[in-house]
């Protein structure tokens, strides 16, 4: 197994280690006698300082740095055994053979290199430091402390980090699986609801449309025929809207429940016009302004009906809770979606209690869910001055998983 990669954050620590171990080597050299060989009185100190300076390369080149430290340790041991006074004083202040920077080198060997190479170099450090051929209380324990203990500490920290990373990865994978299972359960529930709505509601609406058509054909009263035709048109529109809604509930798992919203090759049904709602509101005495921009032909029928419902629900709420207030309706059809904004001012009289309490209280909640199913976002809340704003941003087409892929 290979170690982790070095990064730029290692450099400050390495500079600090150079300063620290350099200070230790200077202190040890100052506390003991100088060397007396032909290499000069500071030969051993220069070797130790060269190891300290090489720590700057430890993050990128741990093996060469460790090899140089081993070389210095071997030269120091050889001088102590064969040529006292050459690289080590005849009576040194410490009997340590290994450079004082050895623990830092050992830790980084475990952290940055593969274990086989790290263990081989650490074993060589331990043998030179402990001198098993000539053990003593002055050198052997110090050699073990400088090599084996740092290696064990580094291995423990490395294993702990790997365990934490593994547990984090397992937790993230479990969370992803939980979300996928929840999404699948939600999709199955939507599918079940769509099938039930198709089996029950579509059947009843189809019967209503057929009866209205038969009434229009068989009645001799023009008013009755006109009313029957209105019922038939509204029923056909309700069927189309229901079919689109079932398609949204069905999602991208397959074809929409009940078949496609419109057979290929047939003429596109007229888009629901929010200006019709404004006209109806004005007919009952409400003060409503309307501004419609853009081309609705580029927008999916399901999105158009959702925008229509936003205007319808907003006007209904204004009628219930803000009687006499000025209402401004703005609908903008863009190539990539629809923006709807319905804002009313403060009411000029208290709302009728019976009318205000006639709803279920879940109109905006249901509207928000419908907008979300269409891939949009709804915002609603009070405005300064006592008014209220309902706004929706909708895409041009209902997104599906197929679109996302």
């Amino acid at each position: 197994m290979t170690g982790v990669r070095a990064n730029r954050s290692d450099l400050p620590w390495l500079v600090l280690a150079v300063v620290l171990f350099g200070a230790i080597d200077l202190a040890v050299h100052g506390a003991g006698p100088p060397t007396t060989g032909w290499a000069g009185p500071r030969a051993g100190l220069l070797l130790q300082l060269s190891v300290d300076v090489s720590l700057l390369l430890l993050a990128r080149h741990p093996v060469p740095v460790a090899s140089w430290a081993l070389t210095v340790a071997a030269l120091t041991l050889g001088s102590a055994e064969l040529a006292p006074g050459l690289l080590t004083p005849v009576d040194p202040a410490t009997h340590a053979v290994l450079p004082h920077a050895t623990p830092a080198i050992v830790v980084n060997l475990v952290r940055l290199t593969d274990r086989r190479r790290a263990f081989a170099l650490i074993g060589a450090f331990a043998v030179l430091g402990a001198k098993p051929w000539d053990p003593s209380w002055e050198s052997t324990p110090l050699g073990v402390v400088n090599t084996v203990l740092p290696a064990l500490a580094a291995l423990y920290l490395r294993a702990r980090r790997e365990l934490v990373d593994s547990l984090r990865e397992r937790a993230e994978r479990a969370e992803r699986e939980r979300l996928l299972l929840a999404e699948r359960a939600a999709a199955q529930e939507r599918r079940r609801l769509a099938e039930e709505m198709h089996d029950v509601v579509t059947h009843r609406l189809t019967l209503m449309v057929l009866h209205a058509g038969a009434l229009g054909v068989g009645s001799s009263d023009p008013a009755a025929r006109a009313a029957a035709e209105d019922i038939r048109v509204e029923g056909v529109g309700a069927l189309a809207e229901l079919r689109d809604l079932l398609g949204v509930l069905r999602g991208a798992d397959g074809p929409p429940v009940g078949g496609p919203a419109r057979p290929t090759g047939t003429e596109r049904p007229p888009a629901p016009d929010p200006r019709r709602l404004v006209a109806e509101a004005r007919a009952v005495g409400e003060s409503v302004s309307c501004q419609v921009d853009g081309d609705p032909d580029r927008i999916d029928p399901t999105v158009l009906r959702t925008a229509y419902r936003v205007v319808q629900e907003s006007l209904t709420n204004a009628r219930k809770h803000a009687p006499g207030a000025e209402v401004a309706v703005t609908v903008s059809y863009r190539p990539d979606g629809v923006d709807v904004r319905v804002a009313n001012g403060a009411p000029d009289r208290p709302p009728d209690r019976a009318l205000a309490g006639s709803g279920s209280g879940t109109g905006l909640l249901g509207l928000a869910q419908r907008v979300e199913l269409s891939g949009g976002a709804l915002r609603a809340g009070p405005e300064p001055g006592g008014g209220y704003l309902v706004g929706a941003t909708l895409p041009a087409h209902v997104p599906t998983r197929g679109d996302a892929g």
Side-chain angles (χ1 to χ4, degrees):
M1 180 182 295
T2 58
V4 298
R5 291 185 178 181
N7 51 59
R8 293 182 179 180
S9 63
D10 291 329
L11 184 58
W13 296 105
L14 294 179
V15 172
L16 180 62
V18 171
V19 174
L20 175 63
F21 290 115
I24 292 175
D25 287 328
L26 289 172
V28 171
H29 176 75
T35 53
T36 56
W38 56 264
R42 296 180 179 84
L45 174 63
L46 293 177
L47 284 178
Q48 298 293 331
L49 292 178
S50 70
V51 175
D52 298 336
V53 173
S54 70
L55 295 180
L56 295 174
L57 305 175
L58 186 59
R60 293 186 176 273
H61 308 287
V63 174
V65 171
S67 300
W68 173 241
L70 275 174
T71 302
V72 170
L75 290 174
T76 302
L77 178 62
S79 172
E81 297 290 337
L82 304 176
L86 179 61
L87 299 178
T88 58
V90 177
D91 187 17
T94 174
H95 292 278
V97 174
L98 300 178
H100 293 102
T102 298
I105 297 173
V106 168
V107 168
N108 282 276
L109 280 174
V110 174
R111 189 172 70 93
L112 300 175
T113 64
D114 62 277
R115 291 184 177 179
R116 179 179 298 179
R117 187 180 304 180
F119 289 164
L121 290 171
I122 293 170
F125 274 115
V127 169
L128 289 178
K131 295 191 292 185
W133 62 86
D134 185 20
S136 67
W137 286 107
E138 295 179 340
S139 60
T140 301
L142 191 60
V144 173
V145 169
N146 283 337
T147 56
V148 176
L149 290 185
L152 292 177
L155 285 172
Y156 167 75
L157 292 177
R158 180 170 169 176
R160 183 177 181 275
R161 183 179 63 251
E162 292 174 353
L163 176 61
V164 170
D165 292 342
S166 174
L167 292 176
R168 183 183 296 111
E169 182 182 355
R170 289 175 60 184
E172 292 174 353
R173 184 168 61 249
E175 179 66 14
R176 289 194 299 268
E177 292 175 354
R178 187 188 68 80
L179 292 176
L180 287 175
L181 290 175
E183 182 181 353
R184 183 179 301 173
Q188 292 174 350
E189 182 65 15
R190 287 196 301 269
R191 170 71 179 177
R192 186 186 65 80
L193 291 174
E195 289 175 349
E196 290 185 2
M197 291 174 65
H198 174 260
D199 293 341
V200 177
V201 182
T202 304
H203 173 69
R204 295 298 182 185
L205 282 175
T206 303
L207 289 178
M208 183 187 72
V209 171
L210 292 176
H211 285 308
L215 178 61
V217 172
S219 177
S220 58
D221 184 0
R225 286 200 301 270
E229 179 62 18
D230 288 341
I231 295 174
R232 191 191 69 81
V233 171
E234 292 295 336
V236 171
L239 280 172
E241 184 174 350
L242 178 62
R243 193 173 293 115
D244 287 336
L245 180 59
L246 294 181
V248 173
L249 288 174
R250 183 64 171 83
D253 297 331
V257 176
R262 176 166 50 93
T264 304
T266 61
E267 184 180 355
R268 171 174 171 148
D273 191 349
R275 284 171 289 202
R276 175 183 173 187
L277 296 171
V278 173
E280 292 175 353
R282 289 171 178 170
V284 297
E286 293 184 79
S287 178
V288 183
S289 62
C290 181
Q291 180 180 350
V292 179
D293 301 322
D295 182 11
D297 290 339
R298 299 181 179 180
I299 309 299
D300 188 84
T302 302
V303 177
L304 291 175
R305 290 188 176 91
T306 301
Y308 185 86
R309 293 306 178 204
V310 172
V311 176
Q312 185 180 49
E313 179 67 23
S314 301
L315 289 176
T316 300
N317 286 341
R319 188 178 304 123
K320 288 181 178 180
H321 304 290
E326 296 282 341
V327 183
V329 177
T330 304
V331 181
S332 299
Y333 300 107
R334 299 175 284 99
D336 59 343
V338 184
D339 288 329
V340 182
R341 187 178 188 275
V342 182
N344 63 266
D348 61 3
R349 60 181 182 272
D352 183 271
R353 292 185 178 181
L355 184 61
S358 62
S360 63
T362 59
L364 284 178
L365 178 60
L367 190 63
Q369 292 173 346
R370 177 164 184 161
V371 169
E372 184 179 352
L373 282 174
S374 298
L378 182 77
R379 56 194 182 279
E383 290 281 278
Y388 201 85
L389 170 67
V390 177
T393 302
L394 297 162
H397 302 279
V398 177
T400 62
R401 292 191 198 88
D403 297 333

